[in-house]
Amino acid sequence: AECSSSSQWSKQMVSWPNRTIPAMAAARGLALIVCMLSIDSLLGDSTETCKLQPDDVCHPKCTAECSSSSQTDKELCVMTCMRGCFKERNMEPTCVQDESSQKEQGSAQSTNAATERQCGSCFGAEDHSPLKNRCCNSCDDVRQAYQAKNWNWPGNHAVDQCKGQPETPLQAASPPSAAECAAKLSCQDCFLSGCGWCISTRRCVEDKAWMCQGEQDHIGKIGTVKSCPSIEERRAKRDQRKAEEEQARTERLASDASRLLSAGAGEGDRARMEEARARATARLESVQREELERVRREAGVEDEAGGEEKGKSRRVDPAVRDEIERRAARVGEGSKQPYEVLGVGPEAQMNEIRKAYRRLSLMLHPDKIGEAGLREAAQVAFMEVVAAYEILGDPDKRAAFDDMGGSDQAQFNTFWEWSTYGSGEAPDFYTGERLITRLTEKLWPRRVSGDSIWLVEFYAPWCSACGSFVQEYKKTARLLADDAIEVGAVNCEKHRLICSEWFSIASYPTLMIVGSGERGTQQLYPRNRAKSAEDIVSWARDVALEWRYLYAKAHMPLFKSAHDFTAAVLDSEDLWFVVVTDGVHCGPCRAAMTNGLRLAAGVAGVAKVGTVDCEEAAAHNLCYTTLGLPPPPHAPQIRVFRAGPKDARSAPGYAGEQLYNANEVPSHVALQLVELVVRNALAEKLAAALAAAGGSRGDYAPGEEPPEP
């Protein structure tokens, strides 16, 4: 009676903040979570899932009790009553199979016996084979299976049963709908179904023009790419990227001065190089004088020397004296080892470099030193610090030094002067901007690393809106100069790999907060928010604050092999959510990782969250054998693994269940629902966990669901 009103699905809509989703999709996801939370109790008694054998005691009693029951399903009432009766009397119930199930079992056994001698592959279409037993023993069987699935015919040469036979096209099938395409989560399934696969966004769409980001991004009949990349092609591409990243990390250690000159000037450029050398020397000397005056003025140290007599009476701290003398004795090292001079590492972020420079420029300023001889040494040391900061304080110059560093500063500055002002190449939007790093494919792994947080603008030089935004973005960088947030920019005309494959940039300018490849985080600037410097800074600080909390509190281990995954997830009785990505260099993958961190923080103490990177070779067996994922490239997904026993003995072949499809339900909406259900269903366990360690619900951001075509 209580459940009579819930037997039909409502056609109304379920609302969530700023979004509306079909009730069917929401209910399906919630039902899955509830089932996962209670699966061990459902499976605890095998009699819960079978029809009980009537006996002489419980069956008559329960039949009489249910005769006057208001429930419409009296058989269910009797079975429920009998289970309780058996438990009260400590009786052992037995299950009985009905005649139809016995007939089905006998029929299946006879069918299997007849076909086990011959069972050909249907090449992916087994569930639609004519024999209904996942076998295709002839070319016609395979063709019928493909026809039933509305798949494109790959050609007789690709099907063993059809090789050598004349080509006969399949009967033209109606093109799949947008909803049918959206249900496909891998390139192979998408392409075979007659849909188009968008490479950058990892989504399946109708095979029509302008559905993806250009023809090069579209796999299908419409785009220029006519087939999905093979695993070997993807592995070669990944290995090439890894090699370039490793080369970028090691090149900064190079110390070959001749390579520096040969990279910048040819035999016919000697005169121009000499002019560049003179300009570079004059420019550095001018900067050193300006910095000497600036620090004196801003720090208010002009009176501290106070004349010769007063200076003689001032005592210099012994540690400062030793530091000045040490630095003065190593004149010229600021040009060769600027990181060492400023006391920072090669991976230091710009705010760390700026803080180190401020501290050293104040400590070593000659006006702070009363002793005449030591003051001269302090001025030499001060100039060395300025020379080091002149290289590292400019993101572009620092990147060039990392690539070709190790030479003396005069040589490096000569090359820089020539390459910047004498090579004839047009400057970029942010050339020479000290507070904005121009990020490239080679520079990205050096700078965007560890727990660093970056605000990045993706732009195109031909975009008028991008040109109008330059001054506002420079103002944003100035406002964030003292924050632990780095500011960068990517020219998408020059670095299309970053903009297309890594981050799926669909319009310019696009603003995004990104984390390192190790963290795999990203968040887009809201489209409906004004692009003023003040609004951008406020948003960036809020996101950075949340991310630092997530980095510290959210535990999301990376499973690198099937063995690690089995030991942590399948051999435990905890409720697990596992984020499965096809690498971290894709926008949807990073969005899934970010929301996974939020989920890990939100369900801390009651459930666990992990991640698997299927792009790594060591994880291929886990992804494509243990978990049974479709061949890459594929969309990221989050799988739920039930609470209770799920090891190989308790649940053979268990691989969890996909939590949702981001093409059907927005990811942030789905995960908000998941967290809400988990936190309420396991409220007692959560209360104990929060009392012990603290916790906070996540604030999920959109980004994994595909943009509108």
Side-chain angles (χ1 to χ4, degrees), residues 557-693:
L558 172 65
F559 303 120
K560 297 183 179 180
S561 67
H563 177 270
D564 295 342
F565 176 82
T566 300
V569 179
L570 298 182
D571 289 346
S572 76
E573 296 193 5
D574 297 313
L575 177 67
W576 273 90
F577 298 94
V578 179
V579 182
V580 185
T581 68
D582 184 21
V584 296
H585 289 87
C586 81
C589 303
R590 284 176 167 267
M593 290 284 289
T594 307
N595 280 332
L597 279 173
R598 294 188 173 107
L599 180 61
V603 300
V606 296
K608 296 182 177 180
V609 181
T611 180
V612 176
D613 180 3
C614 293
E615 189 184 43
E616 295 297 328
H620 282 182
N621 183 56
L622 167 60
C623 294
Y624 305 116
T625 301
T626 304
L627 298 181
L629 266 66
H634 52 75
Q637 59 179 252
I638 298 181
R639 290 202 177 188
V640 57
F641 292 81
R642 68 194 187 206
K646 45 188 171 286
D647 56 5
R649 177 177 297 180
S650 304
Y654 180 66
E657 296 187 53
Q658 183 178 339
L659 196 56
Y660 64 93
N661 182 343
N663 292 328
E664 298 176 346
V665 183
S667 57
H668 64 293
V669 175
L671 293 177
Q672 281 175 324
L673 291 171
V674 168
E675 182 188 330
L676 183 65
V677 171
V678 171
R679 289 168 65 89
N680 282 274
L682 302 176
E684 294 182 359
K685 186 177 180 181
L686 177 62
L690 289 177

Side-chain angles (χ1 to χ4, degrees), residues 35-101:
C35 184
M36 291 295 103
L37 292 171
S38 57
I39 193 69
D40 54 338
S41 63
L42 289 175
L43 300 180
D45 187 352
S46 60
T47 61
E48 296 288 329
T49 59
C50 71
K51 183 178 180 180
L52 300 181
Q53 177 72 44
D55 69 323
D56 296 333
V57 179
C58 293
H59 186 262
K61 171 179 174 294
C62 292
T63 301
E65 290 182 3
C66 292
S67 61
S68 60
S69 174
S70 60
Q71 298 184 58
T72 58
D73 191 346
K74 290 185 171 54
E75 183 178 359
L76 177 61
C77 174
V78 172
M79 290 297 103
T80 304
C81 174
M82 287 179 63
R83 293 188 186 100
C85 177
F86 284 142
K87 290 182 179 179
E88 289 177 1
R89 298 173 178 271
N90 293 323
M91 298 172 60
E92 187 68 26
T94 56
C95 299
V96 61
Q97 289 184 322
D98 55 30
E99 294 182 1
S100 61
S101 63

Side-chain angles (χ1 to χ4, degrees), residues 273-492:
M273 288 293 287
E274 287 300 324
E275 294 176 5
R277 190 189 309 278
R279 291 199 309 268
T281 301
R283 190 186 301 275
L284 177 60
E285 291 175 351
S286 175
V287 170
Q288 288 173 326
R289 289 193 299 270
E290 291 173 1
E291 283 297 285
L292 191 65
E293 293 300 320
R294 185 191 64 79
V295 175
R296 175 184 292 130
R297 183 175 58 255
E298 293 184 2
V301 297
E302 62 270 27
D303 295 328
E304 291 194 25
E308 188 176 349
E309 293 300 321
K310 185 175 181 180
K312 288 180 180 179
S313 63
R314 294 185 67 242
R315 298 183 59 185
V316 179
D317 185 276
V320 175
R321 177 189 296 275
D322 292 342
E323 183 66 14
I324 291 173
E325 292 176 347
R326 183 187 69 82
R327 287 175 176 270
R330 301 179 61 182
V331 176
E333 289 299 316
S335 59
K336 293 184 179 181
Q337 301 293 338
Y339 289 105
E340 184 177 334
V341 169
L342 294 184
V344 297
E347 307 292 344
Q349 303 302 317
M350 289 304 297
N351 68 309
E352 298 176 71
I353 292 174
R354 288 192 289 268
K355 289 178 181 178
Y357 175 66
R358 292 193 193 103
R359 179 180 62 81
L360 290 173
S361 61
L362 285 174
M363 182 181 74
L364 300 175
H365 197 283
D367 286 356
K368 280 184 163 288
I369 308 301
E371 301 175 22
L374 191 61
R375 188 184 304 174
E376 292 178 3
Q379 180 154 338
V380 172
F382 179 87
M383 296 303 186
E384 284 293 287
V385 170
V386 174
Y389 186 67
E390 182 65 8
I391 294 175
L392 301 186
D394 184 327
D396 295 335
K397 203 168 185 178
R398 179 188 177 192
F401 183 85
D402 284 350
D403 282 340
M404 299 173 287
S407 302
D408 63 84
Q409 180 175 307
Q411 194 175 43
F412 175 77
N413 283 344
T414 298
F415 164 73
W416 178 256
E417 186 78 19
W418 181 86
S419 63
T420 304
Y421 303 102
S423 62
E425 184 178 344
D428 213 331
F429 274 6
Y430 301 104
T431 298
E433 182 62 36
R434 286 181 172 271
L435 298 177
I436 301 175
T437 301
R438 293 188 300 162
L439 293 166
T440 65
E441 287 93 341
K442 291 183 65 175
L443 190 59
W444 192 282
R446 297 189 215 144
R447 299 289 182 263
V448 189
S449 60
D451 287 344
S452 63
I453 297 174
W454 283 74
L455 171 66
V456 181
E457 178 200 359
F458 299 86
Y459 70 92
W462 46 261
C463 165
S464 59
C466 301
S468 302
F469 183 63
V470 168
Q471 295 305 318
E472 201 68 27
Y473 196 55
K474 289 182 178 180
K475 181 180 178 182
T476 300
R478 290 194 296 272
L479 294 175
L480 290 173
D482 294 328
D483 287 68
I485 301 174
E486 301 296 316
V487 181
V490 177
N491 183 338
C492 292

Side-chain angles (χ1 to χ4, degrees), residues 499-610:
C499 299
S500 60
E501 286 197 31
W502 292 12
F503 290 100
S504 311
I505 302 303
S507 61
Y508 306 116
T510 291
L511 287 176
M512 188 183 295
I513 293 281
V514 300
S516 65
E518 297 94 323
R519 291 295 188 180
T521 47
Q522 75 169 41
Q523 188 159 330
L524 284 167
Y525 187 74
R527 294 182 181 179
N528 58 354
R529 191 164 179 170
K531 283 189 172 71
S532 67
E534 291 75 16
D535 282 334
I536 295 170
V537 168
S538 174
W539 170 78
R541 286 171 175 165
D542 289 343
V543 174
L545 182 64
E546 183 208 11
W547 282 15
R548 291 191 187 96
Y549 169 82
L550 293 176
Y551 290 171
K553 297 292 185 180
H555 181 58
M556 193 166 69
L558 172 65
F559 303 120
K560 297 183 179 180
S561 67
H563 177 270
D564 295 342
F565 176 82
T566 300
V569 179
L570 298 182
D571 289 346
S572 76
E573 296 193 5
D574 297 313
L575 177 67
W576 273 90
F577 298 94
V578 179
V579 182
V580 185
T581 68
D582 184 21
V584 296
H585 289 87
C586 81
C589 303
R590 284 176 167 267
M593 290 284 289
T594 307
N595 280 332
L597 279 173
R598 294 188 173 107
L599 180 61
V603 300
V606 296
K608 296 182 177 180
V609 181

